[in-house]
Amino acid sequence: MANTVDNIAIITQDAHQAADFEKAMTIRQAIRMYPKAIFFSMILSLSLIMEGYDTSLLGSFFGYPSFQKKFGEGPLKDGSYQLTASWQSGLQNGVQVGEILGLWVAGSLAERYGYKKTMLGSLIMMILVIFMMFFAQNLAMLMVGEILCGFPWGAFQTLTTTYAAEISPPALRPYLTTYNNMCWVMGQTISAGVLRGLLNRDDEWGWRIPYAIQWIWPIPIIIGVLFAPESPWWLVRNDRIEEAKQVLRSLVSASDTEYDVDRNVAMMIHTNAHEMAVSAGTSYKNCFTGVDLRRTEITCVVWVIQVTCGIWFGGNVIYFLQQAGFDPEQSFNFGLGHNAVGFFGTICAWWVMEHVGRRTLYLWGLAIMFIILVIIGFLGIPKSSDSIAYASGALLYVFTFTYDITVGPVCYCLVAELPSTRLRIKTVAMARNAYNIASIVANFLNNPILNPTAWNLRGKGGFIWCGFALASWVWAYYRLPEPKGLSAGQLDVLFERKVSARKFHKVEVDEFRSNNLKVELISEDLAKTTSEKQG
């Protein structure tokens, strides 16, 4: 590493002091020191409200009368209209395909041009593409619009999470990264409220207005991005050291005299140099080589578990309850409460994560969701009745609360912490793509489970999804490490030493190699003294 950085001993010493300063920082101190970092991170994360809004909108539209009448087949025997299971899967998978492509492109663009330019381009594209969905005349046009919307959504997914991780200290990182999940839930809640308010409209505006509301978000976010600073980690990776220092000075409160910008940049330089020594490249290929292969696997599966835990089944409460016998008004009322429960769960996660580790939350969350899925499966065996429907609805509330206090928000924290800093953007992009691919499979699986024109399993679908939840728990037990309280440098060393996931917090590591540091400092002093004598 000394060959890649000048004055490595001094850099290491400053980095060590900066890391100690960050570890000792409390959440209250972090909020006081980094108000601007909090503000700009939260502004960029608002873009995820649009994704949460539209994905929830699309799933709810399958049970929405005016949308069903416009795009569905019918009338059926009961006088209703239904989209076929294949079109339901096709529309949802169109979004996932667009996001997969958007993530690949955004990962490369952000690494080359930075977060701000990539984010601005994505927001402008979002404004233009909404026109296609608003003016859709048939399912094919709607599907093209959903695919194109997936491109900027893919960018939002990776940029918001990695940006939050790179402009905030470790004390704030869990809150700002999990805030992304809250924005998702906020989007879903707004979607449910809008649809409930327009439920009695049976004309085309009943489904066009919800699409038009998406134009509200991009403009204020664009204004925020224009004033937001670039990621200091990205600037260091691109050897723009002085600019990184300027960004840190602008992010930290001027009243805090204990903070040392030079030391913090030294810590970034040291971590970057260490990772270059282990794996020099920053391409997608490097995510699958050496130490980074394990980090890529864990990051990808952590995000895939957001699907395999059963949320596709347990979170689709509106359509599920309609197939269980609820009328549209009842199911949408339940949907509003369901989203409120998810929002409350995410808020609770902020407090819980301060006291409980990420790994522990994943394991307990998966265990509880597995049990709920099994119970819902058994409730689906008898003939449908109001009491069974209400019992299933109550369990779905518990399922969603569990998801949004554990796997839902904790995932965003883990995928930001586990990759190396040099490969963070691309690793997160690949992890989200793994999630999107799993989502495509889930769409093909879950829609026939609930659709009355297909398998029509209703609650018995819990038996299918509980198997995936159990497999997720087994993987997490053996493969998911605990990054809570560990710096980026410490994680680098633990992965480099191939420490078992269950022993991450039991193994003491010195990312700065204190003994080597002393030798290097003494050597430099001797060399300086010798040079002075010769002079």
Side-chain angles (χ1 to χ4, degrees):
M1 187 166 69
N3 295 329
T4 61
V5 180
D6 295 331
N7 302 319
I8 184 60
I10 303 300
I11 289 287
T12 303
Q13 186 180 40
D14 287 347
H16 200 167
Q17 291 174 328
D20 289 342
F21 179 78
E22 283 196 340
K23 288 176 185 177
M25 188 185 300
T26 65
I27 180 62
R28 184 174 297 179
Q29 290 173 322
I31 292 172
R32 190 189 74 243
M33 288 179 60
Y34 287 88
K36 293 179 182 177
I38 295 170
F39 174 77
F40 286 118
S41 175
M42 294 180 82
I43 288 293
L44 265 68
S45 294
L46 290 177
S47 60
L48 290 176
I49 291 179
M50 290 187 290
E51 188 194 0
Y53 177 91
D54 190 82
T55 51
S56 174
L57 194 70
L58 187 59
S60 298
F61 269 159
F62 298 156
Y64 193 65
S66 64
F67 186 87
Q68 289 175 316
K69 190 173 181 180
K70 170 67 178 178
F71 298 105
E73 294 183 0
L76 303 179
K77 293 179 180 179
D78 60 358
S80 66
Y81 293 78
Q82 284 280 349
L83 268 74
T84 62
S86 58
W87 264 115
Q88 288 179 353
S89 299
L91 286 171
Q92 290 179 319
N93 288 337
V95 176
Q96 306 302 332
V97 169
E99 289 182 357
I100 288 170
L101 297 174
L103 279 159
W104 285 118
V105 174
S108 297
L109 290 178
E111 194 60 54
R112 183 170 183 177
Y113 299 108
Y115 286 85
K116 290 186 63 174
K117 291 180 180 178
T118 309
M119 193 75 182
L120 286 170
S122 301
L123 287 163
I124 292 169
M125 182 179 179
M126 186 80 234
I127 293 172
L128 298 175
V129 173
I130 294 171
F131 280 98
M132 181 166 287
M133 295 190 294
F134 179 79
F135 290 107
Q137 297 298 312
N138 50 55
L139 286 168
M141 188 174 176
L142 192 63
M143 185 169 182
V144 172
E146 295 287 352
I147 292 172
L148 292 176
C149 269
F151 277 81
W153 286 335
F156 300 155
Q157 288 167 352
T158 183
L159 296 180
T160 53
T161 303
T162 53
Y163 184 79
E166 294 193 357
I167 68 166
S168 61
L172 287 176
R173 205 164 291 153
Y175 302 95
L176 294 180
T177 53
T178 56
Y179 173 73
N180 290 338
N181 185 74
M182 180 177 287
C183 287
W184 247 76
V185 177
M186 286 166 60
Q188 293 173 331
T189 305
I190 294 169
S191 169
V194 168
L195 292 181
R196 180 63 187 88
L198 297 169
L199 186 60
N200 294 324
R201 292 196 68 131
D202 57 2
D203 59 0
E204 65 179 20
W205 292 104
W207 62 269
R208 287 190 195 274
I209 291 174
Y211 277 128
I213 287 174
Q214 291 182 93
W215 275 312
I216 294 173
W217 299 104
I219 299 302
I221 298 173
I222 286 174
I223 295 171
V225 173
L226 288 172
F227 288 97
E230 187 54 82
S231 161
W233 283 91
W234 181 83
L235 292 169
V236 167
R237 289 195 294 271
N238 286 272
D239 294 324
R240 294 158 64 174
I241 306 302
E242 290 305 315
E243 289 181 59
K245 291 179 180 180
Q246 291 174 10
V247 166
L248 287 174
R249 288 190 188 99
S250 70
L251 286 174
V252 177
S253 175
S255 61
D256 200 298
T257 57
E258 298 178 9
Y259 181 83
D260 192 308
V261 169
D262 292 332
R263 288 175 180 172
N264 250 57
V265 171
M267 180 177 63
M268 295 177 185
I269 294 171
H270 182 277
T271 302
N272 186 59
H274 176 89
E275 291 176 359
M276 285 179 66
V278 176
S279 177
T282 58
S283 68
Y284 281 112
K285 180 182 177 181
N286 293 108
C287 295
F288 296 98
T289 58
V291 176
D292 290 303
L293 175 61
R294 182 187 176 194
R295 302 178 86 153
T296 301
E297 174 232 326
I298 295 171
T299 309
C300 288
V301 179
V302 159
W303 222 327
V304 167
I305 286 176
Q306 276 200 335
V307 177
T308 58
C309 69
I311 193 64
W312 247 241
F313 179 78
N316 197 2
V317 64
I318 293 175
Y319 194 68
F320 177 90
L321 291 176
Q322 285 187 13
Q323 307 318 309
F326 278 30
D327 61 39
E329 190 170 326
Q330 281 180 302
S331 63
F332 275 92
N333 286 339
F334 246 89
L336 272 173
H338 176 260
N339 285 298
V341 167
F343 186 83
F344 178 68
T346 304
I347 293 175
C348 292
W350 284 357
W351 178 82
V352 173
M353 286 180 66
E354 188 176 347
H355 304 282
V356 184
R358 291 47 151 161
R359 171 185 164 88
T360 303
L361 285 171
Y362 246 63
L363 290 172
W364 276 101
L366 287 167
I368 294 170
M369 286 187 280
F370 165 77
I371 294 169
I372 293 172
L373 288 169
V374 172
I375 295 172
I376 290 176
F378 280 110
L379 288 174
I381 294 175
K383 186 178 179 181
S384 181
S385 66
D386 286 347
S387 59
I388 290 177
Y390 276 107
S392 297
L395 284 169
L396 291 178
Y397 271 35
V398 177
F399 184 95
T400 298
F401 179 79
T402 303
Y403 173 85
D404 281 302
I405 201 173
T406 58
V407 171
V410 176
C411 168
Y412 287 94
C413 187
L414 285 169
V415 299
E417 291 177 329
L418 291 171
S420 67
T421 60
R422 288 177 58 77
L423 290 170
R424 182 179 279 146
I425 295 176
K426 288 187 170 67
T427 306
V428 171
M430 290 199 345
R432 186 65 187 191
N433 268 340
Y435 165 91
N436 287 328
I437 292 169
S439 299
I440 292 174
V441 177
N443 289 332
F444 279 118
L445 176 65
N446 199 57
N447 288 321
I449 287 174
L450 298 178
N451 196 297
T453 65
W455 303 345
N456 196 28
L457 294 177
R458 295 175 293 147
K460 292 190 288 292
F463 289 132
I464 296 175
W465 282 105
C466 73
F468 292 107
L470 180 60
S472 301
W473 186 93
V474 172
W475 177 89
Y477 180 79
Y478 287 104
R479 299 293 292 168
L480 180 61
E482 177 55 76
K484 186 175 185 292
L486 298 174
S487 67
Q490 286 175 314
L491 286 170
D492 287 340
V493 175
L494 287 166
F495 278 111
E496 189 181 342
R497 292 183 182 179
K498 300 180 180 179
V499 175
S500 166
R502 287 171 286 169
K503 296 179 180 178
F504 254 52
H505 255 278
K506 298 177 182 177
V507 176
E508 292 186 10
V509 294
D510 179 7
E511 62 190 291
F512 301 105
R513 275 54 165 202
S514 296
N515 292 332
N516 294 338
L517 173 61
K518 292 173 185 175
V519 171
E520 289 172 356
L521 283 171
I522 292 168
S523 299
E524 285 192 2
D525 289 340
L526 287 172
K528 185 178 180 181
T529 303
T530 304
S531 177
E532 289 175 351
K533 286 181 179 179
Q534 290 175 348

